[in-house]
Amino acid sequence: MVEGLKRIDWYRLRSHDGYGDDLPRLLRQARTSVEPHEELVRHLCGDESEVSEATAAAWPFLLDLVAHDNTPGREWLLENVCGAIAVAGGSGSDGVHPSWPPAWEASKPALLALLDHSAVAVRRGALFVLGQGRGDSAPVLAALAPRWDEETDPATRLCLVVVATEFAGRGDEAALSWLRELEVPDDEPLARMLVSAATRPDAGVVLRGLTGDLGLFLETGQFEMGYDEVLEHVLWLVRPHDFEGMDLVLALVDVLPWRTEALDYLRRLFERDTADVGLVVPYVPVWAADPDVRLRAFAVWLVGVARARQYRRLVEAAVHDHAVTSLGQRVSSLATSVLLDLR
């Protein structure tokens, strides 16, 4: 590492906190101490869409640090520094310096080597980083296959599938083919759910996975997936802008544990783009009469977004509905506001 650091003119490289002249010292100190970690974050990590030229230059040295068992706080570096850089680098933003893509591609052998590490946290961390990056998926998929055969930790096996679905979700046909050929045992329902979502199955397969025990997602370490994040990931894979995807969302509305998340997703979807709102409007009369205040409030809101004046009488009736949602929203107040908008 020391000789490699000397070969770079850090004084000419912009970091996220000035120039990169402090980076050689911080990287050397990080071999024996956690003290420079926060400074490394300040220099190397911008927002979620920026990678500086100094960060790209420091990237191989960071991977060298996390590869050594005697590096203090190695897992922290992998998750909080390498992970943040990978997320920003995979954003496709103009804020990513042109030196990042070649640095990323050159680092893949080092990252893939970490998949065979004895520490589960290191394997999961490396998988998270790999899933966030863009570029050539071929070497990654080639490494995932033998790892799938060898991996025994359930959460890490799920991470392997998440990496492939990340590529597939960005339209990578090679990743889709890899997932279609992957043999997933029946006792790994969450992995089967992700494979199914990524390869466009019937909604029932995904629904069975989502309504099962999702606790394993919470064990995947760096992913920090809660139930709502799992749903977001699956909906991203299924692409609810097509009818099959909308079928899945509507099916989730009928499942009590997922109702709030599904309605929130529909609300965000239609706030951004009302192109598919007509697929859901026919449900307004049913939802407006439902005992669940969440559905009644959503039905009223939907009439306003879709400008569905044919349901004006249902909204007028809802003016007398004084039930309150979990967000403190009165159906009556919402209905009054929608009626004003429909004038």
Side-chain angles (χ1 to χ4, degrees):
M1 173 187 282
V2 176
E3 290 304 315
L5 290 170
K6 289 179 180 178
R7 288 195 288 269
I8 297 174
D9 190 356
W10 297 97
Y11 290 86
R12 293 180 179 272
L13 301 181
R14 281 278 187 182
S15 75
H16 294 290
D17 191 39
Y19 286 92
D21 48 297
D22 278 341
L23 285 172
R25 173 182 61 83
L26 296 172
L27 290 166
R28 286 195 300 268
Q29 289 179 348
R31 293 185 301 170
T32 57
S33 172
V34 299
E35 186 176 342
H37 284 188
E38 293 299 331
E39 283 191 79
L40 284 172
V41 169
R42 191 175 73 248
H43 281 287
L44 299 177
C45 303
D47 63 24
E48 292 187 356
S49 61
E50 294 181 352
V51 178
S52 70
E53 55 183 339
T55 299
W59 181 247
F61 301 104
L62 284 173
L63 296 185
D64 188 48
L65 284 171
V66 300
H68 285 81
D69 294 340
N70 59 351
T71 299
R74 175 182 58 189
E75 287 82 3
W76 190 92
L77 281 173
L78 185 55
E79 177 178 353
N80 294 285
V81 183
C82 295
I85 294 169
V87 168
S91 68
S93 166
D94 292 339
V96 177
H97 193 269
S99 60
W100 170 253
W104 169 251
E105 291 299 328
S107 73
K108 281 181 179 175
L111 276 168
L112 294 172
L114 295 177
L115 299 187
D116 293 323
H117 199 280
S118 59
V120 169
V122 172
R123 299 200 299 274
R124 292 180 192 168
L127 286 166
F128 175 73
V129 172
L130 286 164
Q132 298 306 308
R134 293 178 178 267
D136 185 9
S137 65
V140 179
L141 296 172
L144 294 184
R147 186 70 248 168
W148 175 258
D149 293 333
E150 298 168 10
E151 185 61 61
T152 58
D153 176 68
T156 308
R157 285 175 65 81
L158 188 57
C159 289
L160 289 164
V161 178
V162 171
V163 171
T165 60
E166 288 284 349
F167 282 112
R170 294 193 288 263
D172 190 310
E173 290 296 329
L176 282 169
S177 297
W178 189 88
L179 287 165
R180 290 189 186 103
E181 296 172 4
L182 186 66
E183 294 184 8
V184 184
D186 290 338
D187 60 355
E188 295 186 80
L190 301 182
R192 292 176 69 86
M193 175 189 70
L194 287 181
V195 171
S196 294
T199 53
R200 307 294 182 88
D202 63 291
V205 176
V206 181
L207 187 61
R208 285 194 295 275
L210 279 171
T211 53
D213 180 10
L214 295 175
L216 190 59
F217 270 102
L218 304 179
E219 298 177 24
T220 55
Q222 285 78 5
F223 292 102
E224 296 182 352
M225 276 191 174
Y227 295 113
D228 51 344
E229 288 87 2
V230 175
L231 177 60
E232 284 289 340
H233 189 77
V234 169
L235 293 177
W236 174 64
L237 290 168
V238 175
R239 303 272 203 257
H241 282 289
D242 60 42
F243 193 74
E244 287 185 6
M246 195 61 71
D247 273 351
L248 172 60
V249 182
L250 293 174
L252 288 168
V253 169
D254 291 333
V255 181
L256 284 176
W258 286 103
R259 178 167 289 171
T260 296
E261 287 83 357
L263 291 175
D264 285 348
Y265 188 89
L266 286 172
R267 188 185 296 269
R268 291 195 302 275
L269 185 66
F270 297 141
E271 283 174 345
R272 294 193 304 265
D273 181 5
T274 59
D276 292 332
V277 72
L279 299 173
V280 181
V281 167
Y283 291 86
V284 164
V286 177
W287 291 345
D290 197 279
D292 190 330
V293 64
R294 293 173 294 180
L295 284 174
R296 300 201 305 276
F298 186 80
V300 172
W301 177 86
L302 189 61
V303 170
V305 169
R307 313 293 294 175
R309 289 184 173 83
Q310 68 269 33
Y311 296 124
R312 183 185 178 91
R313 289 189 179 278
L314 291 178
V315 179
E316 290 173 346
V319 170
H320 306 290
D321 185 340
H322 299 290
V324 182
T325 69
S326 60
L327 298 176
Q329 180 184 45
R330 285 188 178 274
V331 179
S332 57
S333 300
L334 177 61
T336 301
S337 175
V338 168
L339 284 175
L340 290 174
D341 291 339
L342 291 177
R343 286 181 178 175

